[in-house]
Amino acid sequence: MISAFVDLPAGPVGHQFELTGWVRGIAPADVSVHIAGRPTTLREREGAPQGAAGWAAHTTQPVPNGVQPVRVFGPAGELLLEEIVVVGSNEGDDPLALVELDGPAPDAEVTGDLVLVTGWAMLNSRAPSMVEVFVEGSGVTRARTRLPRPDVGAAFPDFPDAVVSGFEARVPVDIPPGGARRVSIRVRLTTHGVGEWTSPTRFVTVRNPAGDAADELLADELEAQSLSLLEGVRDRRDPKHVLVLTHSLAIGGGQLWLQELLTGLVKKHDWRATVVTPVDGPLRDDCAALGVPVHLTSHYRIGDIASYEGHVSELAMIARASGAGVALVNTLGAFSAADATKRAGLPTAWVVHESFELADFSFQNWGPAGLAPAVKQRWERSLGTVDRLLFVADATREMFVGHSTPQRCRTIRYGTPMVRFGGRISEHRRREARERLGVPKDALLLLNVGVVEPRKGQAGLIAAAERVRHVAPNLVVAIVGQHPTPYGLALDDLVARGGLEESVRLVPIQRDPTPWFHAADLFVNASDIESLPRSILEAVCCGLPVLASDVFGAREMIEDGRTGWLFEPNNADALTVALLRALDTPAERRREFADNAFAKLSDWLEPTGYADEYSDVLSEIANQGER
């Protein structure tokens, strides 16, 4: 007679472990042991009862937390015994932590004035709710979490969160050019109800290189040559002609904002416009329909001072020859365009949408070394010399006012054409939208609209939604803005690994996402960086109650507990609590929140309003000439 036995551990085990047991009536070669549905590596061992054959089974891959089956099979796959083993930690013990700090390496030398801390982590098999980074002298920085890690996903195939287990934090360090400092780094992981884990301390040296004196001399020489060339260009200015220099005509929030502004300026205020851009896209057709010519140029050349000066000179010649009487520069990264228009003698308004400190923005766009010091000086100088810095949120204006003067900084909040819906969608229109989109009638539809990217926090939203499913089993999350980037592909993998295809819909980027706003019940903005999230405005215009991360312009639109719910960014626990608060709020009260939000924002939701303000600003600086 065949029999089998497993010697089960007295308590929980770690992610990789060995179990022992014995069989009687068959040879060890005929035995196989599966743990958590996967075969193990089996070896014979001594110490079994008389007449029995002992074995030891070792897991071949890490096993996720939870109650996991142990199955012993005999010849021809016959199941001899089934038991369970608990993977996890004892109550009061630290959680099981799988962590790797990729960088900076211990005792590394970091170049620049910012430390990038990266790695991946899981606590009890799931991505932590919050990752905090401690860099000596810089306080605590909350890392951006749930970043794509396909390598970790491949190494841990049974862990759904492994594909989004990455984290990163960009921590500025106050070191003057030419200075260096040795600093300590620690990382703390936290998840409510699970526990926390803190990494060992490591040390690095941060060295901020001094500027090259030869570069600075060359920059001045090339700038003088540029100004000399410009003197030979005939200057004919039309004060009702605006030269617009923008980063791209592809589909995106900043680009759609500009297109609506151009429409208002041209059609309502009779402006002429010319657009200069390094990136072509479908919005060029929209410009053509407005009668706005588009000049395509090369990408902004900022790698070294010679390339920078050459490109700025070309843009300045275009600006001087365009006949425009005023310039409008769109986005923070277009600083070479602002430099060029001022050299050309054009009064310039510069629209800054991005709520990033300069060191952080530089690191994200141009790498650890950042900009060459001479180029960075021109970036900072341009912020201080343009005639107006324009922002969509007061918080962003406050961030940049130190680079200019309060008199030159102004907030002009934008509106949205969706104001036509008046803050309420009829039940008939809602049903039509759901039928069109294939959303079940009884679903509680949670909507997020925005290009899928790490700063938008969509992976954290998926995690929080799954954590509240016990109180909302009919919850469906629609994320509109999916595209095949590494982050987008990681979300696809996350949904597939978790078996979430029925409850999470990843919808491609939509030129017009209006039907989704009509079909939804709640709107969530989970970003960790925003200025004035356009999608929140659209949700409010469609009568949706809003949950928003408490960042920059979001807090200027949503008042917690009255017009919506706010939560801390980069904290899945905080987002989970906000969802629970919203779900616990009666439908009538949620309707009141939405009405309050529309009433609060109604004064500036009309899109023609900001076209009026921009027309006034451009006219003012065009007519006053150079400062």
Side-chain angles (χ1 to χ4, degrees), residues 176-252:
R181 183 150 58 95
R182 182 174 167 84
V183 300
S184 62
I185 298 174
R186 290 180 296 121
V187 172
R188 181 168 65 197
L189 319 176
T190 308
T191 300
H192 177 71
V194 172
E196 66 177 49
W197 178 90
T198 302
S199 71
T201 300
R202 66 176 54 176
F203 295 88
V204 301
T205 299
V206 184
R207 192 176 303 279
N208 193 11
D212 189 327
D215 261 6
E216 294 173 8
L217 290 173
L218 177 62
D220 292 340
E221 179 184 339
L222 293 175
E223 184 174 348
Q225 291 178 4
S226 170
L227 293 170
S228 177
L229 286 170
L230 286 167
E231 290 177 358
V233 180
R234 186 177 177 184
D235 190 3
R236 297 176 297 175
R237 297 190 187 181
D238 175 0
K240 287 288 286 187
H241 181 184
V242 59
L243 179 69
V244 179
L245 300 101
T246 188
H247 63 303
S248 171
L249 291 180
I251 299 295

Side-chain angles (χ1 to χ4, degrees), residues 36 54 75 100 103 120-121 194 209 230 240 263 287 316-317 355 367 472 490 494 531 568 572 574 605 614:
E100 187 169 337
W120 63 268
V194 172
L230 286 167
K240 287 288 286 187
T263 300
C287 290
M317 297 288 271
S355 296
L494 175 66
S531 290
E568 293 179 348
L605 285 172
Y614 269 87

Side-chain angles (χ1 to χ4, degrees), residues 332 348-352 380-413 613-614 617 620-621 624 627:
L332 180 59
T348 299
W350 187 357
V351 187
V352 177
E380 294 174 343
R381 182 187 68 183
S382 295
L383 285 167
T385 57
V386 293
D387 300 85
R388 294 290 185 276
L389 284 176
L390 303 176
F391 307 93
V392 296
D394 289 337
T396 313
R397 185 193 69 217
E398 291 302 314
M399 174 180 283
F400 282 89
V401 72
H403 296 284
S404 181
T405 64
Q407 295 76 18
R408 293 188 180 194
C409 297
R410 178 170 171 177
T411 300
I412 304 178
R413 296 181 176 89
E613 290 194 67
Y614 269 87
V617 169
E620 178 187 350
I621 63 174
Q624 73 186 18
R627 280 187 174 271

Side-chain angles (χ1 to χ4, degrees), residues 72-334:
V72 181
F73 295 95
E78 177 188 0
L79 179 63
L80 302 180
L81 179 68
E82 182 170 5
E83 297 283 1
I84 59 170
V85 64
V86 177
V87 179
S89 54
N90 288 307
E91 186 175 350
D93 290 347
D94 290 338
L96 297 182
L98 294 166
V99 188
E100 187 169 337
L101 192 59
D102 296 326
D107 300 315
E109 186 167 292
V110 176
T111 301
D113 58 356
L114 185 147
V115 176
L116 175 66
V117 180
T118 63
W120 63 268
M122 288 182 282
L123 284 183
N124 282 3
S125 305
R126 311 299 302 213
S129 292
M130 185 169 63
V131 177
E132 296 170 300
V133 176
F134 303 79
V135 175
E136 182 183 350
S138 298
V140 182
T141 300
R142 189 171 297 170
R144 177 173 290 161
T145 57
R146 287 180 164 80
L147 301 181
R149 289 302 299 248
D151 56 331
V152 181
F156 297 87
D158 296 327
F159 293 60
D161 282 4
V163 291
V164 290
S165 60
F167 65 84
E168 70 172 27
R170 298 177 301 275
V171 185
V173 179
D174 186 16
I175 299 177
R181 183 150 58 95
R182 182 174 167 84
V183 300
S184 62
I185 298 174
R186 290 180 296 121
V187 172
R188 181 168 65 197
L189 319 176
T190 308
T191 300
H192 177 71
V194 172
E196 66 177 49
W197 178 90
T198 302
S199 71
T201 300
R202 66 176 54 176
F203 295 88
V204 301
T205 299
V206 184
R207 192 176 303 279
N208 193 11
D212 189 327
D215 261 6
E216 294 173 8
L217 290 173
L218 177 62
D220 292 340
E221 179 184 339
L222 293 175
E223 184 174 348
Q225 291 178 4
S226 170
L227 293 170
S228 177
L229 286 170
L230 286 167
E231 290 177 358
V233 180
R234 186 177 177 184
D235 190 3
R236 297 176 297 175
R237 297 190 187 181
D238 175 0
K240 287 288 286 187
H241 181 184
V242 59
L243 179 69
V244 179
L245 300 101
T246 188
H247 63 303
S248 171
L249 291 180
I251 299 295
Q255 298 93 303
L256 291 170
W257 166 88
L258 178 63
Q259 208 63 36
E260 287 182 4
L261 176 60
L262 283 174
T263 300
L265 291 175
V266 170
K267 291 189 173 182
K268 184 178 180 182
H269 296 281
D270 299 320
W271 281 84
R272 287 181 58 211
T274 300
V275 171
V276 179
T277 181
V279 178
D280 197 7
L283 295 180
R284 182 155 60 92
D285 292 337
D286 296 58
C287 290
L290 290 171
V292 174
V294 173
H295 178 83
L296 296 174
T297 185
S298 64
H299 285 272
Y300 301 131
R301 298 196 293 274
I302 55 177
D304 59 85
I305 192 63
S307 299
Y308 174 83
E309 284 293 332
H311 186 56
V312 169
S313 293
E314 293 163 12
L315 291 177
M317 297 288 271
I318 292 169
R320 179 69 70 88
S322 68
V326 64
L328 180 68
V329 176
N330 187 37
T331 75
L332 180 59

